[in-house]
Amino acid sequence: MASIINAAIVGYGFAGKCFHSYLIGLAEGLKLYAVSTRDPGRRAAAESDYGVKTYPNMDDLLKDDKVDLVVIATPHDTHLELAAKCMGAGKHVIVDKAMCMNTAEADAMIEASKRNDVMLSIFQNRRWDGGYLTVKKVIEDGLLGDVFLIQATVLGYGPPRSWRGVKKQVGGQIFDWGAHLVDQALRMVPSEVDTVFCDAQHRKWDIDIESHLNCIIRFKNGVSYGIELSNICRIRKPRWFVLGEQGTLCKTGLDPQERAMINLDIDAAEYNPEDRAKVITEVNGEVKEMTLDTIPGNWKAYYQNISDVLNKGAELAVKPAEVRENMRLIDAIVESAETGASVKM
């Protein structure tokens, strides 16, 4: 019988409360044991929500020998310092996306993991989004022929709240939703990145992060991958748009797991039939139109994998070396946005 890994969360904002606390509790072999937050109201909420021990600071939490795994759910600019301290205390560590602020910080985190012989992973839960899994399978199955254009967009209207609108803490949109889209891009295209161009618009909102980002990632195999992010868009584009030599795919809608999870029943997530992928392609010389059911997503798989790694020696699903490559690409996107020039990888 597998042992139980005691997990603690640092930070009990939206990510700590609604994502990590809930999903940890669904993984066999993991137990939500403690929460650390400076906010007394949030400590009281964690105690009420999950019956866990709470600590007013991370130093006190790290003195607890029963803590095996620490999840860092704090602003992006704190990830390196907090993760390094936890790993130095002999704790396994998960950091919420984005991993950190740049590649140099990613290298320091990976080195700390190796030096202290502890696991390090990054919460890239959207590798288990239904839409992503569906589009990736369509491409890999060759239904569209030789794919040369992929566009991924997440657009909305309204300024980001709290620290997510402060560039020093969040880094910008490419570190927030963009961290998922970058991760998906590097998993979806079997090629190295060649060049990156990113246009950044700062409009309307009195904040120091971008209102709109439009990034073009050119891969060495010729695929052009677009990432568009906005908080100033009143009409959304399709979530996915893909062109191949034989066919075209269009898919709308965000994954419904988040809303169901916030309602404490992720298994109740229902995929809107209107958001199914629409494909027009050529099959055996005949043009066909089809509507494809969405492959069900499974965010629960992330923490189950963490449990299996620590309890059973399974292979880590989200490896820090992979996410380091995400940070290299994000570095190039940031450089291009700041200079207005293309960046060669």
Side-chain angles (χ1 to χ4, degrees), residues 76 164 166-167 169-177 209-210 213:
H76 303 156
R164 295 183 184 276
V166 181
K167 186 172 183 179
Q169 293 183 283
V170 73
Q173 289 200 58
I174 201 64
F175 291 80
D176 201 0
W177 244 110
I209 72 162
E210 322 83 11
L213 281 180

Side-chain angles (χ1 to χ4, degrees), residues 8 61 63 72 89 127 153 187 218 223 241 247 250 254 269 316 322 334:
L61 182 148
K63 295 174 184 176
I72 308 296
R127 292 191 188 186
T153 66
R187 310 282 80 74
R218 181 79 173 181
V223 172
F241 185 79
C250 181
L254 297 177
L316 188 62
E322 295 173 344
V334 170

Side-chain angles (χ1 to χ4, degrees), residues 48 64 128 195 226 288:
S48 174
D64 190 333
W128 291 272
T195 58
K288 293 187 175 182

Side-chain angles (χ1 to χ4, degrees), residues 41-317:
R42 290 182 176 180
R43 289 199 299 275
E47 292 167 2
S48 174
D49 293 340
Y50 293 100
V52 296
K53 295 183 68 173
T54 59
Y55 292 93
N57 60 72
M58 195 181 77
D59 289 340
D60 288 344
L61 182 148
L62 293 179
K63 295 174 184 176
D64 190 333
D65 292 336
K66 293 183 179 180
V67 173
D68 304 304
L69 167 68
V70 179
V71 179
I72 308 296
T74 57
H76 303 156
D77 63 329
T78 66
H79 288 183
L80 170 58
E81 178 184 359
L82 299 183
K85 182 175 287 189
C86 291
M87 290 186 282
K91 312 296 186 183
H92 303 292
V93 168
I94 292 168
V95 294
D96 201 3
K97 62 78 196 163
M99 181 179 186
C100 49
M101 300 301 286
N102 52 55
T103 308
E105 290 192 357
D107 287 339
M109 292 169 71
I110 292 170
E111 196 280 327
S113 170
K114 293 177 179 178
R115 183 175 64 250
N116 294 287
D117 193 26
V118 293
M119 183 205 74
L120 170 65
S121 185
I122 298 85
F123 186 61
Q124 298 284 175
N125 60 306
R126 291 190 180 274
R127 292 191 188 186
W128 291 272
D129 267 13
Y132 164 73
L133 295 172
T134 302
V135 173
K136 190 170 188 287
K137 186 176 189 302
V138 168
I139 293 173
E140 291 175 345
D141 287 350
L143 189 59
L144 306 178
D146 188 11
V147 168
F148 59 90
L149 175 69
I150 303 172
Q151 294 178 336
T153 66
V154 177
L155 311 175
Y157 189 86
R161 299 176 181 177
S162 184
W163 62 270
R164 295 183 184 276
V166 181
K167 186 172 183 179
K168 180 181 182 297
Q169 293 183 283
V170 73
Q173 289 200 58
I174 201 64
F175 291 80
D176 201 0
W177 244 110
H180 290 304
L181 303 193
V182 165
D183 187 69
Q184 291 174 346
L186 294 182
R187 310 282 80 74
M188 188 173 283
V189 182
S191 177
E192 295 180 350
V193 175
D194 185 25
T195 58
V196 176
F197 175 76
C198 183
D199 175 60
Q201 297 284 335
H202 295 260
R203 296 183 180 274
K204 189 164 184 174
W205 311 124
D206 186 21
I207 53 177
D208 61 357
I209 72 162
E210 322 83 11
S211 306
H212 191 97
L213 281 180
N214 190 21
C215 308
I216 304 298
I217 304 161
R218 181 79 173 181
F219 286 86
K220 290 183 178 179
N221 65 355
V223 172
S224 178
Y225 199 111
I227 291 177
E228 190 171 12
L229 300 162
S230 186
N231 57 43
I232 198 170
C233 179
R234 295 184 186 270
I235 300 176
R236 293 182 178 180
K237 292 182 178 180
R239 172 67 178 84
W240 294 98
F241 185 79
V242 184
L243 287 180
E245 291 187 359
Q246 301 297 118
T248 304
L249 175 147
C250 181
K251 187 185 182 314
T252 58
L254 297 177
D255 195 282
Q257 290 180 88
E258 181 170 335
R259 180 174 295 178
M261 178 189 65
I262 292 171
N263 292 328
L264 301 179
D265 189 4
I266 196 169
D267 292 329
E270 294 185 2
Y271 290 85
N272 188 340
E274 295 181 1
D275 288 331
R276 290 180 294 175
K278 308 296 192 297
V279 173
I280 301 178
T281 191
E282 186 176 329
V283 180
N284 298 324
E286 181 182 353
V287 175
K288 293 187 175 182
E289 297 186 21
M290 56 191 78
T291 301
L292 305 178
D293 288 338
T294 303
I295 296 172
N298 184 19
W299 288 3
K300 296 187 295 183
Y302 178 82
Y303 271 110
Q304 190 57 57
N305 172 254
I306 295 297
S307 175
D308 292 343
V309 168
L310 298 178
N311 285 312
K312 303 176 182 179
E315 181 179 359
L316 188 62

